[in-house]
Structure formats: structure tokens, C-alpha cells
Amino acid sequence: MPLNIATSLASTLIRGSNGIQSRATTDRPAELLQIYDIENCPYCRLVREALTELNLDVLILPCPKEGKRFRTELLERGGKAQFPYLYDPNTGVEMYESLDIVSYLFETYGSGDVPLKWRLGGLQTLGSMLASAPRLRRGMQARPGRPPEELLELYSFESSPYARLVREQLCEMEIPYIVRNCGRTLASEWLLPPLRSALRITPKSELDNRRLLLAREGRQSIPYLYDPNTDQGLFESGDILSYLDQHYRD
């Protein structure tokens, strides 16, 4: 487990500030966006980073290699097994190509302008490829589990090294889930939860998802998995991984 966390942290450090901070003023869509996704795919990561930065929740449809559950669905929908693939039920838009999707998200749900760093698409793609390297094949190969009747909800932000471990397992198990993005908007949110607790600091977050998490559990810590099928909520990546194995592993 320590090595697993260390390599996940390395991926986070390679991406710098990408996929951490969120905008609280994003015009959020009425219906969830849907992404056909592979967790450790460098192109998919770019889209997930943009979703965190825009404070957009998303339905993740995992498509690991040799997966059957959503790859077949995508072939029928788009004609090729290429990732990521966006479906926006609010506008009817469906599209491949990560940088095109990023531009669409900022133009549709952001200020209308694509930030400079995202206009430097080649550099972002290279950086994401480097970030995939420490994780090797994690989050890439199908090890199917049992799909839940109701969608799991993962409170996460893209560059969290601990949330990444959970997303990788969900991808391998081909379990669809909702990402409730919980990026950082305040300086106090950069403090580790144990330090915040020791200093008795409770950030008054600008984000609905962080406020909801605080109201539900009395604290804010990422990742947090809520399972409506059992009405259970769990912090701590190790506990979540064990829970997924216990309840949804074939």
C-alpha cells in the first residue's frame, strides 16, 4: 500500500496544479454529463481535470481494456473504441478527442474562454502521459465486479492521490459511478484533514459538494464514497477499496 500511494502521489506532482482547484461560479448543467473513460488514460485525465476545475459533476462509464460493459455500448454509439468520449444530455453533443472536449466544456460551462494552459494542448497531453507512467497498468485492465442497482457517488477531485486509488478500482471493476467534484477554492482546504482537525479549522467552502459533505458527515475529506444501496458512507481510500471488494467483487 505505501508504494501504491507513493506512485499515485508522483502522478499528482507531475501534473502540478491541474485538476485541484475549482471555480464556484460555474453554470452547472441540469443533467449529468457522461464520460466513457479509462482511469489511467492520459487523454481521459485531461477531461477529468477540466471537469474538476469547472466544478462539474459527471457520470463515469468505465471502459478498461477487455471490458465488456460499456465498450460495446460506446461502439454502438460512436462507432469506435476511442477514449474519452463525451455525451452531454443537456445539449445533445457527443464527441471524441480530449482537447476538443476540454474546449467544449469551458466554452459551454465556463466563462466562454478556454484558459491559456488548455490552449497549449500538446504540453498538457505530454504532461498527462508522464503522469500515467508511475501508475503502469493500474486502472487500465478489466477485472469485472457486480454493478450496483443504484449509482455509487464518489466525492473526489482529479489530482487527489487517494481518490485516484478508488477510481482505478472502480474502473477495473467496470462499476459506473457519479463523481461529485470537490476541488479546492480556499487556502484552508489545502491543509491535510488531520491538521485542520488539530487546528480546529472547518473551511466554509464555496462549493455545494463540500458543503453537502460537511453537512452529511461533519467533516470534509477526500475521497468519500456514498453507496445508496446500503446507505453507507466511507472516508479513507483503504476502507473504500475493502468495501468495494466485499460488496461488489464477483
Side-chain angles (χ1 to χ4, degrees):
M1 190 68 170
L3 179 60
N4 197 15
I5 292 172
T7 55
S8 186
L9 180 59
S11 292
T12 293
L13 293 174
I14 288 169
R15 291 303 289 149
S17 63
N18 289 284
I20 296 178
Q21 294 176 288
S22 289
R23 302 179 181 185
T25 56
T26 295
D27 182 16
R28 304 180 81 183
E31 296 186 65
L32 282 171
L33 307 178
Q34 299 178 22
I35 296 288
Y36 292 81
D37 174 86
I38 304 174
E39 174 60 31
N40 202 29
C41 166
Y43 305 101
C44 295
R45 179 183 292 107
L46 300 178
V47 172
R48 297 193 309 264
E49 287 175 348
L51 289 164
T52 289
E53 293 172 7
L54 286 164
N55 188 32
L56 295 171
D57 293 347
V58 60
L59 171 59
I60 297 290
L61 303 171
C63 299
K65 292 181 178 179
E66 299 184 14
K68 308 295 184 185
R69 200 161 287 161
F70 297 108
R71 278 183 169 253
T72 301
E73 181 179 306
L74 177 56
L75 282 171
E76 294 174 353
R77 181 165 218 155
K80 53 185 176 179
Q82 177 179 311
F83 306 95
Y85 183 85
L86 168 73
Y87 168 54
D88 184 348
N90 302 278
T91 62
V93 165
E94 304 191 33
M95 60 196 308
Y96 291 103
E97 300 298 339
S98 57
L99 294 175
D100 290 344
I101 295 172
V102 168
S103 294
Y104 168 82
L105 293 173
F106 276 97
E107 290 165 357
T108 306
Y109 297 110
S111 64
D113 296 322
V114 180
L116 176 60
K117 73 171 187 176
W118 288 113
R119 282 181 264 151
L120 302 174
L123 290 177
Q124 293 297 337
T125 300
L126 176 60
S128 191
M129 287 179 173
L130 293 173
S132 287
R135 301 305 290 158
L136 299 174
R137 295 179 63 81
R138 293 183 184 272
M140 294 287 287
Q141 196 73 26
R143 295 187 300 132
R146 297 187 303 273
E149 291 186 11
E150 295 185 63
L151 290 167
L152 307 182
E153 299 182 27
L154 181 65
Y155 289 70
S156 170
F157 59 87
E158 174 55 31
S159 258
S160 165
Y162 302 100
R164 179 178 292 112
L165 308 183
V166 177
R167 297 195 310 262
E168 287 172 346
Q169 181 151 323
L170 288 166
C171 183
E172 291 171 1
M173 295 175 74
E174 295 185 89
I175 293 178
Y177 62 100
I178 298 170
V179 168
R180 301 293 186 195
N181 264 306
C182 293
R184 295 166 175 165
T185 60
L186 305 174
S188 57
E189 290 170 348
W190 289 80
L191 298 175
L192 294 175
L195 182 57
R196 289 203 304 261
S197 178
L199 297 175
R200 297 183 179 180
I201 295 174
T202 302
K204 295 181 179 179
S205 181
E206 300 173 5
L207 301 183
D208 290 341
N209 287 338
R210 282 186 174 265
R211 288 197 294 262
L212 179 60
L213 183 54
L214 181 62
R216 176 180 284 168
E217 296 288 352
R219 65 186 176 115
Q220 299 173 8
S221 182
I222 302 302
Y224 173 81
L225 179 77
Y226 175 66
D227 185 349
N229 302 280
T230 60
D231 195 30
Q232 283 189 265
L234 299 95
F235 293 102
E236 305 301 335
S237 56
D239 292 342
I240 296 172
L241 297 179
S242 296
Y243 176 87
L244 292 173
D245 277 334
Q246 178 182 354
H247 289 272
Y248 296 109
R249 181 70 69 189
D250 283 333

